[in-house]
Amino acid sequence: MGKSDPECVNSSNPFHECSDYCHRKIAEAKRRLLEEQESWKKPAAERTVHPDCVNASNPYHDCSEFCFKNIANAKAALERGEQEPAAGGSGKSDVASEQADGDDGSEQQQEDAAANDGYPQMTEKQKKLFQLQLKMNEARKANQQAMVAEKKRMEPRGESKGVSKEKWLEERKKKIGRLLDSNGLDMSKSYMLDTQDMAEAKYKKWEKEPAPDGWDVFNQKTLYTAYKKRTKNIEVNMDAYNRAKETDPEFYREASSLQYGKVSKVAEPNIDRMVNELKERDEKRKSFSRRRKFNEDKDIDSINDRNEHFNKKIERAFGKYTLEIKNNLERGTALPD
């Protein structure tokens, strides 16, 4: 690749090579710029610049009314600073002394008022400006907080609880590993970090039988366990049971029996006990209900309360397996191109 002049308009093109045309255009642009600068610069005879102006060294500056006002104010302040000590020390003029005393009194009052406000080094205008700046900062801070809160509300919902729980378990495992390493132990000795309360809670959890999960709620073992729990408090009269078995040869009927499906005689007290047990079970089921917090941001995926309860069960059992499919469907990445 050839060389390119950095002042060329095409210097950003890596394949551009400057020719005589480019150099001629650059020279013309420089000459035109110098001519414009010379036209801006006025000769010293035509310029109106005060020698005491702060911008007098700028060859393109012309003093305006603002510049002359600032110069006059600066000279007046300088003269007052030189005359006040002399007037106060020699006492040449009573008017000057009274004016100085009046100025001192007003300045003293201003200083006292400023000291009471907590800003003794500020004038009234500076204090007002400072208070406005404080209000602006407070408004900016409140606006920033409101924006952050609104952004959190508008952000899409994250992963399910299972993912965050896995993260929490990983961090906890790392923390326990660091504690064990500092004490010269390995992960097999992690139980040594447990307190007495933690160990007792862990043992109670181990002794307790795990609750059925998923489709295990409807298997035969769970149903039989529920049946035993219901019949645990029912009293059984073994004498009456044995007598009924002896009097009826087909007490245990089979499918081929001619009396299959026939209702045997049941004593009235037994029927009353069954009715009472059903009533107690119904009352217990009604009392087993706790008020749950309603989440307005949660997506509605049910048609009624019963369907919502069923969906929660399904989510607990199979949510971790269907999480990726659900996220793909929400993002639209599961659909074919």
Side-chain angles (χ1 to χ4, degrees), residues 17-55:
E17 298 180 5
C18 284
S19 60
D20 294 339
Y21 175 79
C22 298
H23 296 302
R24 190 165 57 252
K25 286 291 182 182
I26 294 169
E28 290 177 0
K30 288 183 178 179
R31 187 176 64 255
R32 196 180 305 114
L33 181 61
L34 289 174
E35 290 176 356
E36 290 178 357
Q37 290 179 353
E38 290 295 331
S39 65
W40 296 339
K41 186 176 179 180
K42 295 181 179 180
E46 298 179 3
R47 289 179 60 205
T48 56
V49 180
H50 197 282
D52 294 334
C53 182
V54 293
N55 297 316

Side-chain angles (χ1 to χ4, degrees), residues 63-80:
C63 283
S64 61
E65 184 180 356
F66 177 77
C67 299
F68 295 118
K69 191 181 294 184
N70 286 341
I71 295 169
N73 291 336
K75 286 186 176 181
L78 186 61
E79 290 176 359
R80 282 199 305 270

Side-chain angles (χ1 to χ4, degrees), residues 156-174:
R157 190 175 57 177
E159 304 293 342
S160 68
K161 293 182 180 179
V163 177
S164 59
K165 188 175 181 181
E166 288 178 2
K167 275 186 181 178
W168 178 79
L169 288 174
E170 288 179 2
E171 293 177 358
R172 184 171 178 271
K173 190 175 180 181
K174 290 179 182 179

Side-chain angles (χ1 to χ4, degrees), residues 169-210:
L169 288 174
E170 288 179 2
E171 293 177 358
R172 184 171 178 271
K173 190 175 180 181
K174 290 179 182 179
K175 186 177 179 180
I176 292 174
R178 289 194 294 268
L179 289 173
L180 292 172
D181 291 340
S182 62
N183 294 321
L185 301 173
D186 55 357
M187 288 299 294
S188 62
K189 305 289 185 181
S190 60
Y191 61 88
M192 299 181 70
L193 298 177
D194 294 342
T195 61
Q196 182 179 358
D197 296 336
M198 292 171 62
E200 289 178 357
K202 192 180 293 185
Y203 295 151
K204 285 182 180 179
K205 190 175 180 180
W206 289 346
E207 292 173 0
K208 185 179 178 181
E209 293 184 3

